[in-house]
Amino acid sequence: MIPTDFTIDAADWSNDDDRAACMRVRESVFQLEQNVPREDEIDDFDPTARHVGARDLQGNPVGTGRLTTQHVIGRMAVEQAWRSRGVGAAMLQRLVEQARALNYPSVELHAQTQAVAFYEKFGFATFGDEFVECGIKHFHMRMDLAPNVIPERAGPGPRPEVTVVQVTDRDGAIA
């Protein structure tokens, strides 16, 4: 069954409302629930990352995640009351779709040890030894992405010319 009690949308870090919604979830999950110091949770990757936000049907933020230009998915957080309801899965799928659209050959993440099985369901595999980050045990995980391939057209007729352009920032996408 496809969940219908929440939405997943792109979140623009330069938009005050989107940024505040993401930070509200991250503060709740990482800082309050997991005791991650604020200075360890906020970094310089946020302004250039692609963010997603999950909201309930009343518009309240319930989840967030990001994809950095270093091909790393991170800051995946779901409010406790919304866990095991498909929010994390939907956000992860959206971030992986974005990585594929950007033609990233692979994506990596730092999975909390208790969340490794969740990421494995989507094709991520651990590598290296367990490590501690912000006082929490983690594993490095990676998933190779199949390249975007333009499907062959069926039937006769000329094929349209396609130009692939790699975009690395918002201004480039607008241009």
Side-chain angles (χ1 to χ4, degrees), residues 85-134:
R85 294 171 65 176
V87 174
M91 290 189 313
L92 182 61
Q93 287 174 330
R94 180 71 59 92
L95 292 167
V96 169
E97 287 170 7
Q98 289 184 12
R100 279 195 176 102
L102 293 165
N103 291 312
Y104 288 178
S106 64
V107 287
E108 294 186 6
L109 54 84
H110 295 175
Q112 293 183 11
T113 299
Q114 50 83 19
V116 165
F118 168 79
Y119 292 109
E120 286 175 334
K121 287 190 268 185
F122 294 90
F124 284 86
T126 61
F127 66 95
D129 296 327
E130 187 177 53
F131 64 97
V132 175
E133 183 174 57
C134 298

Side-chain angles (χ1 to χ4, degrees), residues 3-174:
T4 58
D5 56 347
F6 64 88
T7 61
I8 305 290
D9 291 303
D12 181 353
W13 198 255
S14 65
N15 175 288
D16 291 341
D17 292 335
D18 284 356
R19 185 175 58 256
C22 292
M23 287 306 302
R24 181 173 144 195
V25 174
R26 286 166 53 173
E27 288 170 1
S28 173
V29 173
F30 297 128
Q31 294 171 32
L32 299 176
E33 184 182 331
Q34 298 180 349
N35 297 311
V36 172
R38 180 176 171 83
E39 59 272 11
D40 289 340
E41 199 282 315
I42 297 174
D43 62 28
D44 293 334
F45 296 115
D46 280 322
T48 58
R50 292 172 178 262
H51 296 264
V52 295
R55 292 181 182 268
D56 66 16
L57 297 182
Q58 289 72 45
N60 301 307
V62 298
T64 188
R66 73 179 186 189
L67 172 66
T68 71
T69 56
Q70 289 71 31
H71 307 192
V72 177
I73 291 174
R75 300 307 195 264
M76 290 280 295
V78 176
E79 292 285 357
Q80 195 166 22
W82 283 85
R83 293 183 194 149
S84 300
R85 294 171 65 176
V87 174
M91 290 189 313
L92 182 61
Q93 287 174 330
R94 180 71 59 92
L95 292 167
V96 169
E97 287 170 7
Q98 289 184 12
R100 279 195 176 102
L102 293 165
N103 291 312
Y104 288 178
S106 64
V107 287
E108 294 186 6
L109 54 84
H110 295 175
Q112 293 183 11
T113 299
Q114 50 83 19
V116 165
F118 168 79
Y119 292 109
E120 286 175 334
K121 287 190 268 185
F122 294 90
F124 284 86
T126 61
F127 66 95
D129 296 327
E130 187 177 53
F131 64 97
V132 175
E133 183 174 57
C134 298
I136 302 168
K137 293 180 180 181
H138 286 74
F139 276 97
H140 289 282
M141 298 190 82
R142 177 184 304 119
M143 180 170 66
D144 292 328
L145 302 175
N148 279 338
V149 177
I150 299 168
E152 293 293 323
R153 286 185 54 167
R159 293 180 53 175
E161 187 173 316
V162 175
T163 304
V164 177
V165 178
Q166 185 171 3
V167 177
T168 58
D169 60 40
R170 186 173 186 272
D171 292 336
I174 291 170

